[in-house]
Amino acid sequence: MSQKVVTRFAPSPTGMLHIGGVRTALFCWLFARKHEGTFILRIEDTDLSRSTDDNIRIIEDGMAWCGLDWDEGPVPGDPQAWRGPNGPYRQMQRLESHYRPALEKLLAEGRAYRCRCSKESLDAARAEAEREGRIFQYPGTCREAGHDASQPFSVRLKMPQGGEPWLEEDCIVLRDLIKGELRFPATSLDDWILARTDGTPTYNFCVVVDDTSMSVTHVIRGDDHVANTPKQIALYQAFGFEQPTFAHVPMILGKDGAKLSKRHGATSITEYQAMGFLPSAVRLALARLSWTPKIDGKAVESAEEELLTDEQMIQLFDLADCQKSPARFDMDKLQWINQKLIQRASWQELEPHLRSFLPEAWSGKSDDWKALAIHSTQKGKSLVEMAEALRFAFERPAGFDAKAVEKFLTDAIKPALRDLCALTDYTHEALEAGFNAILEKHGLKTKDLAQALRVALCGKPVSPGIFDTLLLAGRDEVVARVERWL
């Protein structure tokens, strides 16, 4: 592309960061990275009753955890700071510098007008239209009235009536990179509000002013915004601005085709973090919702091909390969991806993510110990499972599986346990040799001694490999925990 690509993710801080929003942010990020462009994070906080600093922090933290770094946008933790030449990046901080001048320009040029219609009169007209079974449209009562600013007013855009040269057969045309060509008859849209009577600007007005001032070239967003787009196209025309290229990604449904909800799995990105998913797994799983990557022109099919790295996703990402129909979120698939990525990661890659699920004592362990701990638990489906499997290494069991105690900690096994407590060389090779010698001496099978040790050390007959379990617990702790059963 000859023009530098600029994309933006512009969430409203009115609650948790939903995975649908993260998928949109991911597509914006991938597209910008593929074309060596700029990715902007912009906070759309014009909903004063619901936008809070805490919710903005949730967005910033969620984006950071997902690894979706922004080139321009707010500085996390400082509401008054930003990075990039087009700030501020919180809409309510742009009121005087950007929105007021833009409104005055439209009013002065006669492309917008002051509306004195009260909420009560509009509600009555809307109710009448509903009783008559027709769609309510603002009738343009104040369109030519020429009201001044002496009384409270909202500001409305003069929408095209037909005949304007930029219309196509009196339609506003959206050529969408995903949905194709969509046409909206100009007469189907009424004069919409740019600014409310209290002076706060509306979403559709702000987004056009901001996307233009920030030089956004590609607006990639959820298809719930399709209905907003013809209004925004009309505003671009009123300003004389060049409009960006639009791409509306389909919504995410549950595996059963119903609207995504808690029963399909968590919907907030912070919940996936708490459940022990890797950010890379979430990125890959969300990328595959609506996007089918192609390698040498062929859609990926094999399991190995599906496990793309960030670099591969950036290289392969193409909006032309995104489907139009809603995507279905499959929690089982996310868990499969997470387990596969855990298994193929190095211990150094996993350690920063696993650390937050473990006690503070983890930080004091040596790199060799940490490497063993991670390697011994990499069969887990999540970081939570890995941390749970390592609990024994930090604390003695609070209780014991009674059936396992009865089955494995028998009088017959105790002589072998005494011999094991006598082992002093705690290297893997020496432990294995000593363990096998004890089995041969007492005529035992591996599982007999191994399971008895697991119950004594962990409270249950489940742990990492038995030699890894012994090494991670350490000789002093092994002896102390086993001796209580002798």
Side-chain angles (χ1 to χ4, degrees):
M1 295 183 181
S2 57
Q3 185 181 14
K4 181 182 177 180
V5 166
V6 180
T7 66
R8 51 69 166 178
F9 175 54
S12 298
T14 55
M16 294 292 146
L17 182 58
H18 192 278
I19 61 169
V22 177
R23 194 271 306 264
T24 299
L26 175 63
F27 280 16
C28 294
W29 182 84
L30 287 171
F31 192 81
R33 294 291 175 261
K34 178 182 178 68
H35 297 285
E36 299 182 346
T38 297
F39 173 56
I40 297 172
L41 173 63
R42 185 174 73 226
I43 304 299
E44 298 191 339
D45 58 350
T46 55
D47 185 344
L48 299 180
S49 64
R50 300 171 63 203
S51 298
T52 66
D53 285 342
D54 283 345
N55 286 339
I56 292 174
R57 178 185 51 77
I58 288 169
I59 290 171
E60 293 169 345
D61 290 349
M63 292 279 289
W65 177 78
C66 286
L68 302 180
D69 54 313
W70 53 95
D71 305 300
E72 297 182 27
V75 172
D78 188 345
Q80 302 303 318
W82 62 83
R83 60 174 179 263
N86 299 301
Y89 295 88
R90 291 171 63 161
Q91 284 187 329
M92 288 311 296
Q93 295 176 350
R94 298 168 63 84
L95 190 61
E96 298 300 330
S97 59
H98 289 77
Y99 307 140
R100 295 261 193 260
L103 280 173
E104 292 302 324
K105 172 181 169 65
L106 292 173
L107 287 167
E109 295 177 354
R111 300 182 185 280
Y113 59 92
R114 296 179 179 89
C115 175
R116 294 266 178 79
C117 296
S118 67
K119 181 180 183 299
E120 291 74 19
S121 65
L122 293 174
D123 286 345
R126 191 174 288 107
E128 182 180 356
E130 187 175 340
R131 285 194 301 270
E132 295 175 358
R134 57 185 173 84
I135 297 174
F136 171 75
Q137 281 190 307
Y138 176 71
T141 305
C142 299
R143 188 179 177 103
E144 306 301 335
H147 295 305
D148 60 27
S150 62
Q151 295 179 10
F153 60 88
S154 61
V155 178
R156 290 183 183 268
L157 179 69
K158 284 186 177 180
M159 288 291 284
Q161 302 289 294
E164 284 82 350
W166 61 272
L167 296 175
E168 298 183 29
E169 298 178 345
D170 286 337
C171 287
I172 298 174
V173 179
L174 165 62
R175 292 183 172 86
D176 191 279
L177 292 182
I178 295 175
K179 294 191 170 295
E181 183 177 292
L182 301 174
R183 289 176 172 256
F184 305 85
T187 55
S188 68
L189 300 166
D190 58 3
D191 295 349
W192 52 279
I193 293 177
L194 303 173
R196 306 173 184 90
T197 54
D198 64 0
T200 57
T202 60
Y203 163 77
N204 282 310
F205 172 71
C206 292
V207 75
V208 170
V209 174
D210 290 342
D211 284 346
T212 302
S213 68
M214 295 178 185
S215 302
V216 172
T217 60
H218 292 75
V219 173
I220 303 169
R221 59 189 180 187
D223 63 4
D224 53 328
H225 286 288
V226 167
N228 291 321
T229 309
K231 296 180 180 181
Q232 294 170 13
I233 290 174
L235 185 55
Y236 279 107
Q237 291 292 331
F239 277 125
F241 295 157
E242 181 179 353
Q243 71 185 53
T245 301
F246 292 96
H248 289 89
V249 297
M251 68 185 299
I252 301 175
L253 303 176
K255 189 176 181 180
D256 58 1
K259 184 177 179 180
L260 194 64
S261 66
K262 285 286 188 182
R263 65 191 176 90
H264 301 110
T267 55
S268 167
I269 196 64
T270 54
E271 293 178 84
Y272 288 94
Q273 180 181 4
M275 287 190 291
F277 287 98
L278 290 173
S280 56
V282 173
R283 287 196 298 272
L284 179 54
L286 291 180
R288 295 305 314 277
L289 296 176
S290 303
W291 173 51
T292 303
K294 294 179 180 177
I295 299 177
D296 298 329
K298 296 181 179 179
V300 298
E301 294 180 355
S302 70
E304 283 304 308
E305 285 182 331
E306 278 195 285
L307 297 173
L308 301 171
T309 64
D310 284 343
E311 291 74 18
Q312 289 173 315
M313 285 198 290
I314 290 170
Q315 179 185 3
L316 298 173
F317 187 74
D318 192 334
L319 289 168
D321 295 329
C322 293
Q323 65 191 43
K324 299 179 183 180
S325 56
R328 299 198 179 196
F329 176 74
D330 186 344
M331 179 64 97
D332 292 336
K333 184 64 173 290
L334 172 58
Q335 290 175 334
W336 177 83
I337 290 173
N338 198 55
Q339 186 171 27
K340 290 295 183 182
L341 294 186
I342 285 175
Q343 289 173 353
R344 62 167 48 183
S346 68
W347 79 266
Q348 294 94 334
E349 291 171 320
L350 291 175
E351 196 275 336
H353 302 292
L354 181 61
R355 186 188 307 153
S356 62
F357 295 93
L358 292 166
E360 290 185 10
W362 170 268
S363 299
K365 299 292 187 180
S366 69
D367 283 351
D368 287 344
W369 192 94
K370 290 178 181 177
L372 175 62
I374 290 173
H375 288 319
S376 70
T377 56
Q378 273 186 270
K379 291 182 180 179
K381 294 180 180 179
S382 71
L383 299 171
V384 170
E385 281 194 13
M386 292 177 68
E388 180 60 29
L390 290 171
R391 182 190 296 265
F392 77 94
F394 299 97
E395 59 185 59
R396 294 181 180 182
F400 293 85
D401 182 329
K403 291 184 178 179
V405 169
E406 182 180 0
K407 181 177 181 179
F408 297 112
L409 287 171
T410 62
D411 289 339
I413 205 72
K414 290 181 180 179
L417 290 176
R418 288 192 184 91
D419 287 349
L420 189 129
C421 287
L423 298 178
T424 57
D425 189 345
Y426 263 57
T427 61
H428 191 284
E429 295 77 9
L431 279 175
E432 186 173 3
F435 190 92
N436 289 333
I438 293 170
L439 293 180
E440 184 176 355
K441 174 182 176 181
H442 297 281
L444 298 171
K445 295 181 179 179
T446 299
K447 71 173 185 178
D448 297 329
L449 183 55
Q451 295 299 77
L453 281 169
R454 286 190 170 99
V455 174
L457 297 175
C458 308
K460 56 188 177 181
V462 178
S463 79
I466 192 58
F467 304 120
D468 291 341
T469 299
L470 294 170
L471 288 167
L472 292 171
R475 183 179 184 278
D476 290 346
E477 195 63 25
V478 168
V479 172
R481 295 188 195 184
V482 170
E483 281 186 341
R484 69 166 288 179
W485 300 99
L486 298 180

